[in-house]
Amino acid sequence: MRKHIVAGNWKMNKTQTETVELINELKQQDLDANVGVYISPAFVNLSKAVALTADGNIQVAAQNMHQSPNGAFTGEIAVNMLQDIGVNHVILGHSERRAYFGETDELLREKVQVALDVDMEVIFCFGEELNERKEGTHFDVVKKQLTTALFALDVSAWRNIVLAYEPVWAIGTGETASPEQAQEMHAYIRSLIEYHYGVKCADDVSILYGGSVKPANAAEIFAQPDVDGGLIGGASLNATDFAAIVNGFAS
Ligand code: PGA
């Protein structure tokens, strides 16, 4: 059965000192033990985060990685560097990587494969832009993203994939998809997985929603049957807000 997951994407925020502070604050919170809690600090703070969370239930994820195992790629980080410091989860395909760093689904297919080859768990992000939602092409866009990046994978790969549907128009804008819009898209995504990989795989994959999730709206979004949690940006930078979101599932 699929897991409930809430992942905090800290983006390019928090120095090492602030990272330590925020993790210590998070550790003081009463977090629902049935929810997989992830945090994703910047690369330079990952080691510290791994050390500080070793005694608890918080997982640490990287925000990106390179598609090559090593080599002359100045400024980049390889998957074995992450694993060697104890990071076993990576966010790939975030809309900011796509928009500002030119990441395509073809490139992401490579990154996903490289991560899965060494048993890294991938949180794969995708979602339509505002004009695509307005034109009514959002289902086609999502289908194409998933088809290109993921649907050539073998069914066994899916045990290490978490999906994060993030409509670009809802990220950092304060505008959230309505619970109905999220449910409609998540059910569609699950139907695509069922079509390609069968009902068990579709039932087992966790599909997170991301885009302006806050303590005030988390519960109604998480109450949707095909929403298994959230990828949280801004609100993950505050321990009490993040904890309230983690605790937003009905028991
Ligand atoms: P937000 O970001 O919660 O600040 O909208 C979500 C994300 O980028 O994953």
Side-chain angles (χ1 to χ4, degrees), residues 84-247:
D84 190 53
I85 58 166
V87 174
N88 294 305
H89 313 270
V90 61
I91 298 171
L92 292 176
H94 191 276
S95 70
E96 288 149 18
R97 299 291 320 166
R98 293 170 184 264
Y100 306 139
F101 303 96
E103 296 200 1
T104 62
D105 287 300
E106 287 75 13
L107 171 75
L108 291 165
R109 176 171 56 204
E110 287 181 54
K111 292 195 178 196
V112 167
Q113 188 65 59
V114 167
L116 294 177
D117 281 348
V118 291
D119 259 340
M120 191 94 161
E121 184 183 65
V122 171
I123 301 172
F124 183 78
C125 308
F126 57 98
E128 81 283 359
E129 298 191 23
L130 183 58
N131 63 323
E132 295 164 333
R133 166 76 52 173
K134 283 187 172 156
E135 287 161 6
T137 57
H138 44 294
F139 292 111
D140 295 339
V141 168
V142 161
K143 182 178 183 180
K144 188 160 179 300
Q145 290 171 322
L146 292 175
T147 301
T148 306
L150 301 182
F151 286 164
L153 292 167
D154 193 74
V155 66
S156 62
W158 283 79
R159 71 191 155 80
N160 273 333
I161 295 178
V162 172
L163 297 179
Y165 167 61
E166 299 203 301
V168 178
W169 48 272
I171 296 178
T173 58
E175 187 164 346
T176 329
S178 68
E180 294 73 25
Q181 286 173 320
Q183 169 56 24
E184 183 185 37
M185 182 58 90
H186 282 225
Y188 174 69
I189 293 162
R190 210 177 293 285
S191 77
L192 292 177
I193 298 172
E194 182 174 343
Y195 175 79
H196 287 277
Y197 295 101
V199 68
K200 174 151 186 1
C201 183
D203 263 354
D204 284 351
V205 66
S206 297
I207 309 178
L208 316 184
Y209 169 79
S212 298
V213 178
K214 308 282 179 220
N217 60 21
E220 56 174 0
I221 295 171
F222 294 172
Q224 301 303 312
D226 286 295
V227 177
D228 306 308
L231 182 56
I232 319 300
S236 72
L237 299 172
N238 176 289
T240 47
D241 284 355
F242 188 60
I245 294 171
V246 169
N247 296 334

